[in-house]
Amino acid sequence: MQGFKRYCSFAILILLLTGCVDVEKDKTSSNAKITIEPYNMSEKESLLISKSGVGHIEFFKLNGTLAEDDDLQISVEVFEKGKFKEELLKTWDDPEKNYKDILISFGISDFNDEVRPLKLISGIPSGLATTNYSNNMTSSSFSNLVGEKVTLKKNKPVYLAAWLGTTKNELRSVGSENGELPAGIEEAELAFLYRVLWTDKEKN
């Protein structure tokens, strides 16, 4: 009888400890907060960028802490004739979980030569990712889609910058203040949208 009581006490203790761990895990997840805001370059920084060959670029500051089971995905979404086509330069599972004034960026090297493709540049917390994209666009526009600090919401994408291209004489600009999918994207011949998504870590 004494052994049975001891066993019951031990089982209750294990259940209590397990419950505390789950509460702590939920607390960590609920306390996770990530903010993104535009980074305004100084005159000297802008001058340096102008010498780098990058036609257009926007920088953003990343702050906050992710829970262990959370992930921050950064990618470039491609739209052709107003419809989503593919996702480029997608990065995820960054070991870094604490961000303090970390810079991320999206840039494009424009070429007037039709033979040469566009070079897409994604500055991510752990480095730099690039790819080339062949196209026949003759004019373009580049827009920042975030006017001030934005707090990410889980599983809701935030669009930070947009490049639009056209073969026509007119090109409608797009805009957004809080990182929503910009209105007018459905009319674009070609568009690249720089996107950040706070989500659960993908399981192998």
Side-chain angles (χ1 to χ4, degrees):
M1 189 68 179
Q2 190 69 24
F4 179 72
K5 287 182 178 179
R6 190 177 294 118
Y7 172 78
C8 288
S9 299
F10 180 72
I12 290 170
L13 180 62
I14 291 296
L15 289 172
L16 285 172
L17 288 174
T18 303
C20 289
V21 168
D22 287 341
V23 167
E24 188 63 33
K25 184 177 178 182
D26 290 343
K27 185 179 178 182
T28 303
S29 181
S30 64
N31 286 341
K33 181 181 178 182
I34 297 290
T35 63
I36 296 177
E37 60 186 295
Y39 173 79
N40 298 315
M41 289 186 288
S42 66
E43 186 176 339
K44 186 173 182 180
E45 288 170 331
S46 297
L47 180 60
L48 289 172
I49 292 295
S50 71
K51 307 293 185 183
S52 68
V54 177
H56 311 281
I57 192 164
E58 290 286 347
F59 290 89
F60 305 89
K61 274 197 305 187
L62 194 60
N63 281 285
T65 301
L66 286 178
E68 198 59 38
D69 293 334
D70 287 345
D71 199 7
L72 198 65
Q73 296 181 3
I74 300 176
S75 65
V76 177
E77 291 186 355
V78 182
F79 287 77
E80 285 192 357
K81 297 180 180 177
K83 297 187 181 298
F84 174 80
K85 180 185 178 185
E86 59 183 320
E87 199 171 13
L88 301 175
L89 301 174
K90 183 176 179 181
T91 60
W92 67 95
D93 201 18
D94 189 337
E96 183 63 54
K97 295 295 181 183
N98 298 303
Y99 304 105
K100 183 171 176 57
D101 290 339
I102 297 296
L103 289 179
I104 60 174
S105 62
F106 176 55
I108 290 190
S109 291
D110 269 330
F111 297 113
N112 294 325
D113 184 351
E114 292 182 6
V115 177
R116 300 175 69 183
L118 294 169
K119 184 176 183 180
L120 311 184
I121 305 163
S122 174
I124 56 179
S126 58
L128 193 69
T130 65
T131 190
N132 292 333
Y133 197 93
S134 298
N135 71 103
N136 63 344
M137 301 296 109
T138 54
S139 61
S140 64
S141 68
F142 192 80
S143 305
N144 183 335
L145 301 178
V146 175
E148 54 188 25
K149 183 183 290 186
V150 174
T151 301
L152 270 62
K153 295 180 180 178
K154 203 161 190 180
N155 298 317
K156 182 179 179 181
V158 171
Y159 296 94
L160 301 178
W163 179 95
L164 273 68
T166 185
T167 57
K168 301 173 184 176
N169 295 327
E170 295 181 2
L171 180 62
R172 176 181 174 181
S173 61
V174 296
S176 165
E177 284 296 314
N178 299 306
E180 310 93 351
L181 185 67
I185 202 71
E186 66 279 356
E187 300 174 15
E189 288 182 71
L190 176 63
F192 302 118
L193 299 181
Y194 187 54
R195 188 202 75 169
V196 176
L197 178 65
W198 171 27
T199 185
D200 293 323
K201 184 181 290 187
E202 294 181 1
K203 296 181 180 178
N204 297 327

